[in-house]
Amino acid sequence: MSSSRRAGLALAGIVALGAALRFATLGDQSLWLDEAFTRRIAADPLGNMLDLIRRGENTPPLYYALTWAWCQVAGTGEAALRVTSALAGTATIPVAYLIGRQVASRAAGLLAAALVAVSPFLVWYSQEARAYALVVFLVSASLLFALRHDDEPARRSLVAWSATAALAVATHYFATFVVLLEAAWLLRRPAARRAVLAGLAPVIAVGLALVPLALDQRRNEGAQVGDASIPSRVGDLAQEFLVGKYGGPVRGLAPLCALLIVAGGAVALARAAPEARRRWLVPLGIGAGTILVPMALAVVGVDYFATRYLAVAWVPLFAALAAVLAARRLGAVAGVALAAVFLTVSVAVPFTPRLQRDDWRSAAAALGEPRGARAIVVNPDVGFVPLAAYEPEVEAPPGPRFAVSEIDVLVMTRDGRAPHAAAPAPGFSVLSADRDPTYVLTRFVADRPRAVEAARLTAPPYTPDPNGLVHESGP
């Protein structure tokens, strides 16, 4: 059997594994906050879609248009909403193989594909109804075509780079960093500048067309990155890139991954030829630059430095890593061990509630039917959005003061660490208190409907906020 056939069979197995990790449990987890916004867009008529994106989102419209079209056929259940992301995440696997092969060798391509297939970070976003998996696929494809055009300039590869780059920018604004770095690299050769600038023109046109939308979306709050310091966010970025959002099933896996990368990379780099190093530096530089530029902008006050936006850097960085590790036997062993750790975490997530998204679906089921007029207090205060996806009867309170006979206090928390709520209003006592790995639910009842003030109904341990209140009329 030829080496190319063996590589093809190995790649097919890797793609099948990656698809299984993404599709087998696609609908198992509850929709979380951002996915609930996607569901709103997918469930609305086409005429409302762009307005909802303008008023409530912080990304361009391509992903939402594709998901909206699919959901008209498949519905807006958890699995249906996530199909676009799962398909894009699976398609990224062979693209990563082609990048690794272009940069180094078939072995590097297979290792890059394996890392993409089992990465907890990429599997997570391949199972999320948001734009991240799609933009990762598109920027990976643009990198592949940029590499091909640089190695062998041709109109076909340049047109493909231009098209995938434009689509990536139409999917997420952070794709702009990758595309501009690729363009700067391609423009370094004087003989290619005119053709590259022509290829860049459609990307610029798409970017300019998105400027009015981006300016409108700046008023939305979804792009806020919180109060964490930049160093702490860099630490979170490193952990999430390696073992996912909530870490692995046991402690120490992120440092183990870092050790495998450093040790395997050191072995391979020590004996690498200068030409091989120059080729590795291309995806490495693009990936690193995609992180460093937003970091520098955050330092001067333009702060959008968040791990989910920086997902566009993952494939360039790990394709470079795969090329480095595959160059030496010990490095390849370290790469296989790294993939094994990735696979362990990805397999553990469906069986470990604390590694999963907030379970709004179970919370809605636990709330059950009201015994009369009731208030549902939710923290975080935006939790009424995903809750309403499963409890459609919830509505805004009828006024600053109203009468209810039941108050249910729902707090989303990791590992059920939040305290049970104290009585939120006079005359109410605890009926039940339940803990779940992702939420705490305390139910209060009164002997008769009692007047309560919306502003005084809050859920611990968060800052009081009446916006975290929804109302549901009883039967």
Side-chain angles (χ1 to χ4, degrees):
M1 184 183 297
S2 66
S3 59
S4 61
R5 181 171 175 78
R6 286 196 300 270
L9 291 174
L11 177 60
I14 292 170
V15 172
L17 174 60
L21 289 173
R22 288 157 174 80
F23 282 97
T25 58
L26 191 59
D28 284 7
Q29 293 187 51
S30 165
L31 299 176
W32 78 288
L33 173 63
D34 285 6
E35 290 183 297
F37 284 112
T38 301
R39 182 180 179 274
R40 281 185 174 182
I41 293 170
D44 258 34
L46 179 61
N48 295 344
M49 183 181 69
L50 288 177
D51 189 54
L52 286 172
I53 293 170
R54 179 182 62 82
R55 291 186 292 107
E57 292 294 341
N58 297 279
T59 45
L62 180 59
Y63 165 80
Y64 303 105
L66 294 174
T67 299
W68 182 91
W70 166 251
C71 287
Q72 304 315 298
V73 178
T76 56
E78 292 93 338
L81 279 168
R82 294 166 176 160
V83 162
T84 304
S85 295
L87 288 172
T90 303
T92 304
I93 300 169
V95 173
Y97 166 77
L98 295 172
I99 292 172
R101 191 181 70 176
Q102 193 75 27
V103 170
S105 63
R106 287 196 184 99
L110 289 173
L111 181 54
L115 293 175
V116 169
V118 300
S119 160
F121 180 79
L122 294 185
V123 171
W124 178 274
Y125 286 110
S126 295
Q127 294 189 321
E128 183 164 292
R130 300 296 284 173
Y132 306 114
L134 180 60
V135 74
V136 167
F137 165 70
L138 290 169
V139 296
S140 301
S142 74
L143 174 60
L144 171 63
F145 293 124
L147 291 166
R148 285 183 173 177
H149 185 72
D150 189 70
D151 283 344
E152 190 175 344
R155 178 181 175 82
R156 182 172 59 183
S157 58
L158 187 61
V159 169
W161 172 74
S162 178
T164 52
L167 290 172
V169 171
T171 303
H172 199 284
Y173 297 120
F174 262 56
T176 304
F177 295 115
V178 180
V179 171
L180 291 180
L181 287 166
E182 291 170 351
W185 173 63
L186 291 173
L187 287 168
R188 78 191 188 284
R189 293 183 176 176
R193 285 174 185 166
R194 180 175 296 180
V196 173
L197 287 173
L200 194 57
V203 183
I204 295 172
V206 169
L208 291 175
L210 290 171
V211 168
L213 175 64
L215 292 176
D216 281 343
Q217 290 176 332
R218 288 186 65 185
R219 294 191 290 266
N220 301 333
E221 296 182 355
Q224 292 179 346
V225 295
D227 298 326
S229 67
I230 292 175
S232 70
R233 279 183 267 163
V234 170
D236 291 343
L237 173 71
Q239 173 180 292
E240 290 190 41
F241 267 28
L242 294 174
V243 293
K245 187 172 181 62
Y246 296 115
V250 296
R251 292 183 177 180
L253 290 181
L256 174 60
C257 291
L259 178 62
L260 290 170
I261 291 171
V262 171
V267 169
L269 286 170
R271 299 180 180 180
E275 177 59 27
R277 291 181 182 178
R278 282 194 292 271
R279 293 188 66 80
W280 300 341
L281 282 175
V282 176
L284 178 61
I286 290 171
T290 301
I291 294 173
L292 293 175
V293 173
M295 187 189 301
L297 291 172
V299 170
V300 299
V302 184
D303 191 356
Y304 296 97
F305 188 81
T307 298
R308 61 189 184 278
Y309 301 152
L310 297 168
V312 292
W314 201 99
V315 171
L317 288 176
F318 281 81
L321 174 65
V324 171
L325 295 178
R328 290 289 180 269
R329 186 182 299 274
L330 287 177
V333 170
V336 171
L338 180 64
V341 176
F342 281 4
L343 178 60
T344 299
V345 178
S346 292
V347 170
V349 169
F351 303 100
T352 313
R354 69 176 181 81
L355 302 180
Q356 298 171 9
R357 294 168 177 84
D358 294 340
D359 195 355
W360 293 102
R361 181 172 54 200
S362 291
L367 284 168
E369 294 295 325
R371 295 160 180 79
R374 73 170 168 182
I376 302 172
V377 184
V378 185
N379 241 313
D381 60 343
V382 291
F384 69 88
V385 178
L387 182 63
Y390 298 103
E391 186 77 9
E393 297 302 318
V394 298
E395 57 187 25
R401 186 175 176 86
F402 52 94
V404 293
S405 57
E406 179 180 337
I407 302 173
D408 296 340
V409 180
L410 176 64
V411 178
M412 279 293 161
T413 177
R414 291 283 112 189
D415 299 320
R417 289 190 294 264
H420 291 302
F428 287 82
S429 59
V430 175
L431 174 66
S432 62
D434 301 312
R435 289 187 182 274
D436 181 88
T438 65
Y439 65 83
V440 175
L441 173 63
T442 311
R443 196 186 310 273
F444 298 89
V445 294
D447 55 355
R448 58 181 172 78
R450 293 180 179 270
V452 297
E453 295 181 16
R456 299 189 65 178
L457 293 180
T458 61
Y462 300 95
T463 302
D465 189 334
N467 292 325
L469 175 69
V470 293
H471 179 264
E472 184 177 59
S473 297

